[in-house]
Amino acid sequence: MTDEGEALTVLICSCNMGNAEPTASSFGAWVPDDGDVKAMLLDTLYPVPSEIVPKNSPSKDAITVGNVPTEPGKFDVIVLGMQEATFDVVSKEMDSDEEAASRATEESKKKKKKKKNPIKKAYKAVVGTTRTLVGSSDNTKEVYGVPELRRVIDRDADRKSFSYFGDTHALHGLVKDRCPSYTTIVDYNRGQMRMMILVKTGLKDQVTDIDVDAENTGLVGVLANKGGIVSSITVRNTRLSFMTAHLEAHEGGKHYMNRNSNLAEILSGARVGQGHKYFDASLNSHHAFFCGDLNYRVVLPEKEIDQEEHKRIVRDMVEKEEWSALNDYDELGQALTKKECLNGFMTLPCHFPPTFKVTRQDGYAYNAKRTPSYTDRVLWKSADGFESNLSPICYEPCPDFITSDHKPVRCAFSIKPNKAGNINMKNTNKTNRKLYMVVSGLSCTDLPVMDLEILGGSSDPYVMFMTDPKDILWHDSDKKKNGYGHGWPKTKHLSKNLNPVWKDPLLLEMNGVACYDDLAGAIMYAVVFDYDRNSGDDIIGTVQINLQRLCSSISPAEADSRSKRRPSHKTDISAPIFRNGQVYGHFKCKIEAAWVNQSEFDDSVAFLWKTDRTKR
């Protein structure tokens, strides 16, 4: 069994397969042999230089190319995100790599010329054919699709006979041969998109809370040639979310804006994990990862993107290895800087050749009709207070993958797992003191208009405080005690106000917490709602708050000899309000935490009047 405190190593692999069956050698160029960390790091041409690692990432403590342990072992988790991953399967006697690449190129040309049956295309795009969830005892194996089309396929059967599921079978064979020490815990495909999550077999029983969902963003939001798959797991007390996407293609400002919208649609529509009703996958995890063919392009300033001169200049920059300049003109980097998508996420600079659009051969030979671009990417985001637990190790393309017109990318991470929290309603400490928090100075600015013009064209905001684990703040009892009733604590709503200020402080009673360590991994969410009298309230956005940092300097046993009042810890919160990767205003408040028993309660929080807690 793995030590609870030992770092988790996670490898995120993204590949647009170009609707061609990958050869074993191409697949091996993308996925390291049985998850071998050391071989990948020693062979990489693109280690993560310390000078380009984000400031809040503890790279100096990470496994790096210059700091590889003698026996780093295997990656604990490998995530395979695939796009254009449907393909015709050839016979078991595979061609040589050169023949396979040539065949893939010819097949691609034929498909472009062939008139497609729109009904068949729509059917194949919409249907998510298989979904597998296995793991520890609280998970099950499920299969979705059309039963009469699904066949039980023997691995040694003639691949030419496969009709609908031959490509899935072929990929399973490649994964099994390449990663024999792993168990597949998620295997999901939606149209041409696929996600597989592998964990070391010895770690499988420590994985819980497996969930997966998908969202189509193709034609009118129905076709699954574009869209995303989202999955979440919990391993060693640490919740991880993984997202893979294929966004709108083509060059130009309109397509750039649509790609930004695609990302928000995926986060809005594909909901997984605890609290998925309220939070998207980027908010309800300790660490979230986004990968895929995101289709963002390199765009030079004041250049017509379709002109040959623009393409020639970019190809010349690639030839001269002007990676920093190319990254300056990268649409995704600009979108993150301008906060136009995936707010809170970060990505390492691509200090390597663009991955698109290439001919199907080894190395980088670019299609003269397209601008070389970094379309294939990996990003990540950590929850408040957990940023220092994650370090990037390596970010690189895979030039020896020859059967696609994209070069895959992969990014490795070292993650310090959370300690085990202990939220238990029977928890007590020797002092019989309980943790309370007082929220004051609460305000929001620049909230969006949520109501129609006919209804006033404004918003009626209130803030609800929620926690994960749920039991910390949720009250089942209707009986009020210290101002508490049933549900989550919340403020009053303020009518028609886009810059609300709540004058009344709010009391938060933390249940099941006996000491600081009990809150390990716990997150509080300040969720801003728009109140609607005649319909369900709408979520404006959410702020994550690490609960441990709110009481880091106090303990139940501490006493302040200078005052009757208990010692407290004050924290100023100032953060953007997120929803689906977009910013919807700004949130501010002050939170003061103290451990008090019942006799000390009046002296410590006497200035608070009781607040109603009603169920939404």
Side-chain angles (χ1 to χ4, degrees):
M1 191 174 189
T2 309
D3 181 9
E4 180 182 282
E6 185 179 336
L8 285 167
T9 49
V10 176
L11 179 63
I12 310 293
C13 302
S14 179
C15 179
N16 182 316
M17 293 194 160
N19 297 120
E21 180 182 7
T23 63
S25 60
S26 278
F27 194 81
W30 180 43
V31 180
D33 187 17
D34 208 18
D36 189 347
V37 175
K38 187 173 184 178
M40 176 180 162
L41 294 183
L42 293 178
D43 292 343
T44 185
L45 299 175
Y46 308 100
V48 176
S50 58
E51 63 269 20
I52 68 170
V53 176
K55 292 181 181 179
N56 61 349
S57 180
S59 59
K60 61 184 179 181
D61 298 324
I63 302 171
T64 63
V65 173
N67 180 33
V68 181
T70 306
E71 295 296 334
K74 306 178 188 299
F75 285 102
D76 295 298
V77 181
I78 299 177
V79 180
L80 306 180
M82 294 165 271
Q83 310 84 43
E84 294 188 0
T86 58
F87 48 81
D88 295 328
V89 180
V90 300
S91 63
K92 184 169 181 174
E93 293 74 27
M94 291 291 292
D95 302 331
S96 67
D97 287 348
E98 292 76 12
E99 291 172 326
S102 176
R103 185 186 72 251
T105 300
E106 291 303 314
E107 287 295 325
S108 178
K109 291 179 180 178
K110 289 179 182 178
K111 287 180 179 179
K112 288 180 180 178
K113 294 179 180 179
K114 184 178 178 181
K115 188 175 181 180
K116 297 181 179 179
N117 183 324
I119 297 177
K120 184 176 180 180
K121 179 182 177 182
Y123 169 79
K124 292 183 73 174
V126 172
V127 173
T129 51
T130 57
R131 173 182 181 176
T132 303
L133 300 179
V134 298
S136 50
S137 58
D138 59 344
N139 298 298
T140 59
K141 181 175 181 180
E142 302 171 319
V143 177
Y144 295 81
V146 183
E148 62 268 27
L149 295 181
R150 193 176 198 285
R151 301 174 59 191
V152 178
I153 303 172
D154 185 86
R155 189 174 170 218
D156 295 324
D158 180 1
R159 294 187 181 184
K160 286 183 178 179
S161 67
F162 299 170
S163 54
Y164 287 90
F165 296 91
D167 46 12
T168 296
H169 178 79
L171 285 171
H172 287 177
L174 288 168
V175 169
K176 185 174 182 180
D177 291 343
R178 189 66 177 170
C179 301
S181 299
Y182 288 78
T183 296
T184 301
I185 60 168
V186 171
D187 179 13
Y188 187 100
N189 63 286
R190 170 72 70 89
Q192 296 190 21
M193 303 175 292
R194 297 177 186 264
M195 176 186 281
M196 299 180 74
I197 300 179
L198 319 176
V199 299
K200 288 192 303 187
T201 298
L203 188 65
K204 181 186 69 171
D205 290 338
Q206 298 180 52
V207 179
T208 59
D209 306 320
I210 302 172
D211 199 2
V212 64
D213 198 7
E215 177 72 7
N216 301 345
T217 62
L219 183 63
V220 297
V222 175
L223 295 188
N225 61 320
K226 297 293 192 291
I229 300 171
V230 179
S231 184
S232 66
I233 66 174
T234 298
V235 54
R236 304 230 299 270
N237 312 305
T238 306
R239 194 163 52 260
L240 307 174
S241 290
F242 306 104
M243 293 156 272
T244 180
H246 192 189
L247 306 185
E248 182 167 318
H250 306 303
E251 302 170 350
K254 174 185 174 182
H255 300 294
Y256 164 80
M257 295 302 294
N258 287 342
R259 285 189 277 275
N260 294 340
S261 298
N262 288 165
L263 291 168
E265 289 177 55
I266 292 165
L267 288 172
S268 176
R271 294 300 183 99
V272 294
Q274 297 290 331
H276 67 271
K277 176 181 177 181
Y278 300 100
F279 321 123
D280 62 70
S282 70
L283 292 171
N284 67 2
S285 299
H286 296 107
H287 306 285
F289 303 88
F290 213 119
C291 72
D293 176 7
L294 305 187
N295 260 318
Y296 286 97
R297 308 304 170 100
V298 170
V299 181
L300 301 181
E302 300 179 2
K303 298 286 183 181
E304 291 294 332
I305 198 164
D306 291 328
Q307 290 185 350
E308 292 303 315
E309 178 69 4
H310 177 271
K311 298 167 188 172
R312 185 196 65 76
I313 293 173
V314 174
R315 287 197 295 271
D316 187 54
M317 294 172 69
V318 173
E319 187 70 24
K320 295 177 181 178
E321 298 187 358
E322 296 178 355
W323 309 140
S324 294
L326 285 167
N327 277 263
D328 288 342
Y329 303 134
D330 166 52
E331 283 186 326
L332 178 59
Q334 293 174 357
L336 294 174
T337 300
K338 296 175 183 176
K339 302 186 183 302
E340 293 179 343
C341 72
L342 293 181
N343 281 272
F345 279 83
M346 60 182 70
T347 184
L348 292 172
C350 298
H351 281 206
F352 47 75
T355 57
F356 174 85
K357 181 176 185 177
V358 298
T359 58
R360 299 178 193 244
Q361 63 183 61
D362 58 356
Y364 301 92
Y366 293 98
N367 186 317
K369 296 180 180 180
R370 301 294 182 90
T371 302
S373 296
Y374 296 107
T375 58
D376 307 276
R377 308 297 281 270
V378 178
L379 305 91
W380 78 93
K381 175 182 182 290
S382 295
D384 175 53
F386 297 93
E387 297 91 346
S388 63
N389 291 350
L390 181 146
S391 300
I393 302 173
C394 177
Y395 187 30
E396 63 180 4
C398 305
D400 295 330
F401 195 103
I402 64 171
T403 53
S404 175
D405 53 3
H406 290 246
K407 295 301 179 183
V409 294
R410 57 190 185 185
C411 191
F413 299 88
S414 176
I415 299 173
K416 179 183 177 181
N418 300 329
K419 293 181 179 179
N422 182 30
I423 305 302
N424 189 319
M425 294 304 104
K426 296 180 180 180
N427 275 355
T428 58
N429 53 59
K430 293 179 180 179
T431 64
N432 288 319
R433 292 190 173 102
K434 197 168 189 177
L435 182 63
Y436 289 88
M437 295 184 185
V438 177
V439 182
S440 60
L442 177 56
S443 68
C444 296
T445 53
D446 300 322
L447 294 181
V449 172
M450 300 293 288
D451 298 331
L452 297 175
E453 189 67 34
I454 193 173
L455 298 177
S458 187
S459 294
D460 308 304
Y462 66 91
V463 181
M464 178 181 289
F465 288 86
M466 308 170 71
T467 53
D468 184 16
K470 176 181 177 180
D471 290 341
I472 298 175
L473 273 184
W474 177 265
H475 276 238
D476 286 318
S477 174
D478 288 324
K479 183 179 179 181
K480 293 183 179 180
K481 179 182 179 182
N482 297 330
Y484 279 77
H486 185 86
W488 300 107
K490 63 180 180 180
T491 67
K492 298 178 180 179
H493 79 269
L494 301 180
S495 299
K496 297 180 173 54
N497 199 329
L498 301 182
N499 297 284
V501 176
W502 287 271
K503 297 180 180 180
D504 296 342
L506 186 66
L507 176 65
L508 307 179
E509 179 183 3
M510 302 290 158
N511 301 301
V513 182
C515 64
Y516 171 83
D517 290 339
D518 288 346
L519 289 171
I523 299 174
M524 182 163 70
Y525 299 94
V527 188
V528 185
F529 286 88
D530 172 48
Y531 172 76
D532 287 316
R533 181 182 298 275
N534 299 317
S535 62
D537 298 348
D538 300 315
I539 294 176
I540 295 175
T542 302
V543 174
Q544 286 177 320
I545 304 171
N546 184 307
L547 271 175
Q548 274 196 320
R549 79 181 179 100
L550 299 180
C551 57
S552 58
S553 66
I554 55 176
S555 74
E558 264 185 307
D560 189 341
S561 59
R562 297 166 298 177
S563 170
K564 291 183 178 180
R565 187 177 174 186
R566 294 283 302 153
S568 64
H569 182 92
K570 298 178 181 179
T571 306
D572 289 319
I573 305 295
S574 179
I577 300 169
F578 290 139
R579 187 178 84 242
N580 303 330
Q582 303 284 355
V583 174
Y584 291 94
H586 199 85
F587 175 92
K588 284 187 177 182
C589 72
K590 178 177 289 185
I591 299 179
E592 185 172 0
W595 295 91
V596 298
N597 58 35
Q598 194 60 48
S599 63
E600 297 164 333
F601 182 84
D602 291 338
D603 289 334
S604 298
V605 291
F607 58 91
L608 258 180
W609 53 82
K610 295 182 179 181
T611 55
D612 290 329
R613 293 163 52 94
T614 56
K615 183 179 179 181
R616 279 186 71 242

